[in-house]
Amino acid sequence: PKPAVSPALPKGYWVQVGAFRQAANAERTVAQLKEFGFPTLTWPAKAGQLTAALAGPFADRSAAGEAQRALLASFPQAFLRP
């Protein structure tokens, strides 16, 4: 059988701040991102084994980089995803 894969993210640049086994933890993290004023999304990761919490989409890499820098204090593991 074909291995399960995660679907591709919608177009744009994203900042992933975490990936969680419990979807409720991803939802809590997304709520924090919304409080900070960021657009958000949860997305299946690791072929659905995890739920990623993302800020975005951002129109370009520069805007995503600014968001990442702003989020690093609260989410030191934040990284860019195209």
Side-chain angles (χ1 to χ4, degrees), residues 7-81:
L9 279 168
K11 289 203 182 274
Y13 291 87
W14 299 85
V15 179
Q16 182 170 324
V17 298
F20 306 89
R21 289 193 190 282
Q22 301 283 325
N25 293 337
E27 292 296 337
R28 276 194 291 280
T29 300
V30 161
Q32 284 181 287
L33 293 172
K34 286 180 182 177
E35 286 177 15
F36 295 151
F38 290 99
T40 63
L41 179 71
T42 57
W43 200 254
K46 296 281 185 187
Q49 295 176 20
L50 301 174
T51 301
L54 302 126
F58 299 96
D60 56 46
R61 189 171 187 84
S62 175
E66 286 180 34
Q68 179 194 23
R69 286 187 291 281
L71 289 166
L72 283 173
S74 297
F75 302 98
Q77 72 283 12
F79 65 94
L80 295 181
R81 290 187 64 172

